Amino acid sequence: MPNSSSVSEFLLLAFADTRELQLLHFALFLAIYLAALLGNGLILSAVACHHRRHTPMYFFLLNLALLDLGCISTTLPKAMANALWDNRAISYQGCAAQVLFFVFFFGSEYSILTIMAYDRYVAICKPLHYGSLLGSRACAQMAAAAWGSGFLNAVLHTTITFSLPLCQGNAVDQFFCEIPHILKLSCSDAYLREVWALVLNVSLVFGCFVFIVLSYVEIFRAVLRMPSEQGRHKAFSTCLPHLAVVSLFVSTAVFANLKPPSISSPSLDLVVTLLYSVVPPAVNPLIYSMRNQELKDTVRKMFPYMPLKQP
C-alpha cells in the first residue's frame, strides 16, 4: 500500500464525465472568476488611489478584497485548467500549497469580517470614540493580527496534515485539496491531532460569529433609535447583507467539516464547498460596494463610461 513518501500526486474530483459538461463547468468557473477579479479589483483601485477613502472602514474593505482574490485564486484556476484539459492530477507540492494558501486566506478573511463588524459597532454605537479606538495604528495592528494569525494557523494545519502517512490511495473527493478529504487517505491514528485542531478552529469561528451577532444586535438597537428614516434604511441595507454573507460563510464551512458521515456524498460535498469557497469572494464586492454610494461615485470617476445604477 502506498505511503506519503510514494505519493507524488493527487487526483482531484472530476466535475463531469462528458467533454461537453467539462467545458460548461470551465466556462461557468471562468465567468465567476472574472467577476471576482473585476469586482475586487475595482474595490482595490477605488480605495488605494483615492485619499478620501483612506478611512478604517475602507482600509478593512481593501484587506477583504485582497483576501477574496487570494482565496478564489487558490482554488478556481487549477479547477478550470483540469476541466479544460480533462485532467485530474495535482502534484504533492501543489496540493500542499493549496492547503496552505486556502487555510491562510480563508482564516484571515473571517478575522477581517469580524473586525469589520467591530468597526461598524464603534462607528454607530460609539461615534465619539471612533477616532481613538480605530486610529491608523490600531487598524494596522488589527489587520496585521488577522493576516499573521491566519498564516500561523495555515502553517500548523499544513504541517500536521502532510506529515501523516497516506495509505488509502491518492484520490481526493473534492475539486481542490481540502484537509478533511486528505485526512481520509491517512492510515495513522495521528490524524486525530488534526481533527482536534479543526474542532478548535470551528470553536474559534463560532466565537467570532457570536461576537459579530452581538455587535449587530447593538447596532440595530442604535439604528432603530435614529430619527432619520433614510439613515435607518442605509444602515440596515449594509448590515443585513453582511450578516447574510457571514452566516453563509460560517454555516457551510462548519457543515462541510462536521457533517455526519451518513449524509456525506461527493455531490453534496462539492456543492457545500462551492458555497463557502467560491461564492463569497465573488459576491462580496457586490454587497460591499454596490450599496455604497461613495464607492460608486469613485468608480464612476475612474471609469466614466461604466454603467452603474443608482441605489
Side-chain angles (χ1 to χ4, degrees):
M1 301 178 71
N3 55 33
S4 58
S5 61
S6 64
V7 173
S8 59
E9 66 177 18
F10 293 93
L11 298 178
L12 300 176
L13 181 68
F15 289 103
D17 297 327
T18 63
R19 188 61 181 154
E20 291 78 9
L21 288 178
Q22 289 175 342
L23 294 177
L24 179 62
H25 282 104
F26 167 76
L28 177 61
F29 285 150
L30 178 62
I32 295 174
Y33 188 56
L34 291 178
L37 291 180
L38 176 62
N40 288 290
L42 286 175
I43 289 178
L44 291 174
S45 300
V47 175
C49 298
H50 293 266
H51 69 278
R52 291 185 179 180
R53 303 294 171 256
H54 294 177
T55 63
M57 181 181 72
Y58 290 110
F59 172 72
F60 295 131
L61 186 59
L62 183 144
N63 278 266
L64 182 67
L66 285 173
L67 291 167
D68 278 336
L69 287 176
C71 190
I72 201 168
S73 296
T74 300
T75 59
L76 274 196
K78 180 59 177 176
M80 289 189 295
N82 285 359
L84 181 62
W85 302 112
D86 190 18
N87 180 37
R88 297 174 54 196
I90 182 172
S91 67
Y92 186 90
Q93 293 78 11
C95 187
Q98 267 198 341
V99 169
L100 175 68
F101 285 109
F102 182 76
V103 175
F104 168 46
F105 290 124
F106 189 82
S108 300
E109 179 168 340
Y110 192 64
S111 297
I112 289 294
L113 286 173
T114 306
I115 294 172
M116 292 175 72
Y118 174 71
D119 169 72
R120 291 299 83 204
Y121 165 77
V122 176
I124 295 176
C125 300
K126 299 180 181 296
L128 298 179
H129 301 283
Y130 189 75
S132 59
L133 293 177
L134 287 166
S136 57
R137 183 174 182 179
C139 291
Q141 290 175 340
M142 286 189 285
W147 287 75
S149 61
F151 180 74
L152 293 176
N153 184 53
V155 170
L156 171 65
H157 283 289
T158 305
T159 302
I160 294 177
T161 300
F162 287 91
S163 66
L164 302 176
L166 307 177
C167 64
Q168 304 294 328
N170 65 341
V172 179
D173 293 331
Q174 193 52 267
F175 75 96
F176 71 97
C177 288
E178 194 178 29
I179 290 177
H181 293 279
I182 296 176
L183 293 180
K184 294 178 181 179
L185 307 178
S186 174
C187 55
S188 170
D189 290 338
Y191 79 92
L192 291 175
R193 292 178 300 178
E194 176 61 21
V195 171
W196 281 112
L198 285 173
V199 171
L200 176 61
N201 269 13
V202 170
S203 301
L204 293 175
V205 166
F206 180 75
C208 290
F209 180 70
V210 171
F211 175 83
I212 292 173
V213 171
L214 293 177
S215 297
Y216 273 103
V217 167
E218 293 299 318
I219 289 173
F220 289 157
R221 291 177 60 185
V223 169
L224 290 174
R225 292 195 295 266
M226 290 181 177
S228 170
E229 182 179 352
Q230 183 179 2
R232 292 196 300 269
H233 175 74
K234 182 178 180 180
F236 278 128
S237 65
T238 302
C239 297
L240 292 178
H242 181 209
L243 284 179
V245 169
V246 172
S247 299
L248 176 66
F249 195 83
V250 175
S251 60
T252 53
V254 171
F255 180 74
N257 290 282
L258 297 181
K259 64 182 178 300
S262 58
I263 65 172
S264 179
S265 69
S267 299
L268 179 61
D269 291 345
L270 178 61
V271 171
V272 172
T273 302
L274 285 172
L275 284 176
Y276 83 84
S277 65
V278 174
V279 173
V283 302
N284 281 346
L286 182 65
I287 293 173
Y288 291 108
S289 65
M290 297 310 291
R291 302 294 299 183
N292 188 311
Q293 189 60 40
E294 292 179 346
L295 268 181
K296 292 173 69 174
D297 291 340
T298 300
V299 172
R300 188 178 290 109
K301 292 178 182 178
M302 296 170 58
F303 305 96
Y305 299 106
M306 177 176 291
L308 292 175
K309 295 181 180 180
Q310 294 296 326

